[in-house]
Amino acid sequence: MKHSNSVFHQLLKHLPRHQFQKAVDRHKGDHRVRSLPCWTQLISLMFAQMTGRTSLRDLEENFNTKRNHHYHLGVERIKRSSLSDANNNRPSAIFMETFFYLLGKVRGELPRKVEEEMVRLIDSTTIDMNLNQFEWASFRSTKAGIKLHTVYDPDADIPTYFEMTAAKINDRKAAHKLPIIPGATYVVDRAYNDYGWYYSLTQQGTRFVGRMKSNAIYEVIENRETTASHILEDQIIRLSSVKAQKDCPTDLRSVTIVREDDGKVLSFITNDLVRTAQEIADLYKSRWQIELFFI
């Protein structure tokens, strides 16, 4: 009978096995491994993700019933105990390198944009973990956790970078380690509100849009005319508290709107003096894309 490749097999064509093996060899992932090599671990976890498996037992049973596809995928039967050990002990860097390799291929297929047109969304999500199994990921007295800080491309609808930290790490501290494209526009929520970071972005020609602190102290330099009824204020401002003046000694912009669907008043802070107030509001609204990505 003629063999017909599965959809899963066709998807794997985008990840050459020899490319994956380079990362495995670099991190000695298969060192002294008698069963369940890293390739089988990867394939089984991908299978679990795409088919919605809910436990290692569930994965073991369903993966092993597809034995007629194993040869063509280059894998063998799995045991949940071996998979559990592999997930606990093997270097996560293998799979991080694989992610960035595939991400690079995706980005290579996208139309190129000049830096001035690039928009990136930054946000984080906290992943709760079992404290007994992950003592290193200290979070609270009764639970462990990690925080995933993500840079997201809303046009391509894909993440472009992520950084994993302990759940206790403040978002503002993590922001300083994220890669920044000079000239692009970064949209962040209130957790990333750091005047020193904002000033460093401004100095390198990068724009930002964030939420204004409720206790921000500033003087209004210019009131811009607004025509839309839901745009309450559009102002050029300068921070006036002693610390803020030291951290961010430059003109900024404050845009205040009333959200039409629920009447909530939102104030944004930005160093973009060119876009319209509506465009600033729309940029912040685009953050919903990264929120949906985390769900």
Side-chain angles (χ1 to χ4, degrees), residues 170-290:
N170 188 285
D171 288 346
R172 289 177 295 173
K173 291 183 179 180
H176 289 271
K177 298 182 179 180
L178 298 177
I180 298 298
I181 303 171
T185 299
Y186 287 84
V187 184
V188 298
D189 69 3
R190 195 161 13 210
Y192 291 90
N193 203 319
D194 182 327
Y195 294 144
W197 184 54
Y198 285 166
Y199 186 63
S200 68
L201 295 180
T202 304
Q203 290 294 93
Q204 61 180 292
T206 299
R207 291 165 291 183
F208 68 84
V209 175
R211 285 283 297 278
M212 177 76 80
K213 289 182 179 179
S214 58
N215 62 347
I217 303 174
Y218 58 88
E219 60 177 313
V220 178
I221 298 174
E222 176 189 345
N223 280 295
R224 293 187 169 185
E225 183 180 356
T226 61
T227 54
S229 59
H230 65 283
I231 299 176
L232 304 181
E233 292 177 334
D234 183 3
Q235 301 171 323
I236 305 299
I237 66 171
R238 183 169 282 256
L239 301 171
S240 54
S241 69
V242 175
K243 187 176 187 309
Q245 282 183 330
K246 179 180 178 182
D247 291 343
C248 191
T250 188
D251 290 353
L252 298 173
R253 186 177 176 193
S254 172
V255 174
T256 302
I257 69 165
V258 56
R259 198 158 58 190
E260 295 177 284
D261 55 351
D262 61 4
K264 184 176 182 178
V265 176
L266 301 174
S267 293
F268 310 119
I269 184 171
T270 179
N271 62 350
D272 190 332
L273 308 183
V274 177
R275 286 186 172 100
T276 66
Q278 184 61 58
E279 287 173 329
I280 298 298
D282 290 341
L283 278 173
Y284 193 82
K285 186 177 181 180
S286 70
R287 286 192 63 260
W288 278 111
Q289 289 183 245
I290 194 170

Side-chain angles (χ1 to χ4, degrees), residues 30-245:
D30 284 339
H31 182 60
R32 294 184 177 179
V33 171
R34 296 182 179 180
S35 62
L36 197 75
C38 289
W39 178 255
T40 299
Q41 180 188 8
L42 172 70
I43 300 307
S44 61
L45 292 177
M46 290 177 63
F47 176 86
Q49 179 68 26
M50 291 191 291
T51 58
R53 305 277 61 90
T54 57
S55 67
L56 291 182
R57 184 185 298 275
D58 182 23
L59 171 57
E60 178 188 41
E61 292 176 356
N62 282 273
F63 188 82
N64 290 340
T65 60
K66 309 296 182 182
R67 282 185 295 174
N68 57 316
H69 294 291
H70 287 183
Y71 173 80
H72 300 283
L73 294 173
V75 299
E76 298 179 352
R77 290 169 59 88
I78 63 172
K79 294 182 179 180
R80 63 180 183 275
S81 58
S82 299
L83 184 57
S84 177
D85 289 341
N87 291 343
N88 284 330
N89 301 324
R90 290 182 187 166
S92 60
I94 296 171
F95 305 99
M96 183 178 292
E97 283 191 22
T98 302
F99 167 79
F100 283 116
Y101 168 78
L102 292 172
L103 179 60
K105 293 189 68 174
V106 172
R107 294 177 66 183
E109 298 297 322
L110 298 173
R112 295 288 295 175
K113 279 192 172 185
V114 297
E115 285 78 2
E116 290 76 10
E117 296 176 345
M118 289 185 181
V119 174
R120 295 290 184 268
L121 315 177
I122 297 178
D123 205 353
S124 68
T125 186
T126 300
I127 302 173
D128 292 335
M129 305 173 77
N130 187 300
L131 184 60
N132 294 327
Q133 293 180 305
F134 304 96
E135 295 181 1
W136 55 268
S138 60
F139 182 25
R140 298 187 180 129
S141 58
T142 58
K143 67 171 60 175
I146 60 171
K147 187 175 284 188
L148 201 63
H149 305 268
T150 305
V151 182
Y152 195 83
D153 182 345
D155 294 320
D157 207 18
I158 57 171
T160 62
Y161 181 84
F162 68 87
E163 177 84 18
M164 187 176 70
T165 69
K168 288 184 176 181
I169 298 297
N170 188 285
D171 288 346
R172 289 177 295 173
K173 291 183 179 180
H176 289 271
K177 298 182 179 180
L178 298 177
I180 298 298
I181 303 171
T185 299
Y186 287 84
V187 184
V188 298
D189 69 3
R190 195 161 13 210
Y192 291 90
N193 203 319
D194 182 327
Y195 294 144
W197 184 54
Y198 285 166
Y199 186 63
S200 68
L201 295 180
T202 304
Q203 290 294 93
Q204 61 180 292
T206 299
R207 291 165 291 183
F208 68 84
V209 175
R211 285 283 297 278
M212 177 76 80
K213 289 182 179 179
S214 58
N215 62 347
I217 303 174
Y218 58 88
E219 60 177 313
V220 178
I221 298 174
E222 176 189 345
N223 280 295
R224 293 187 169 185
E225 183 180 356
T226 61
T227 54
S229 59
H230 65 283
I231 299 176
L232 304 181
E233 292 177 334
D234 183 3
Q235 301 171 323
I236 305 299
I237 66 171
R238 183 169 282 256
L239 301 171
S240 54
S241 69
V242 175
K243 187 176 187 309
Q245 282 183 330

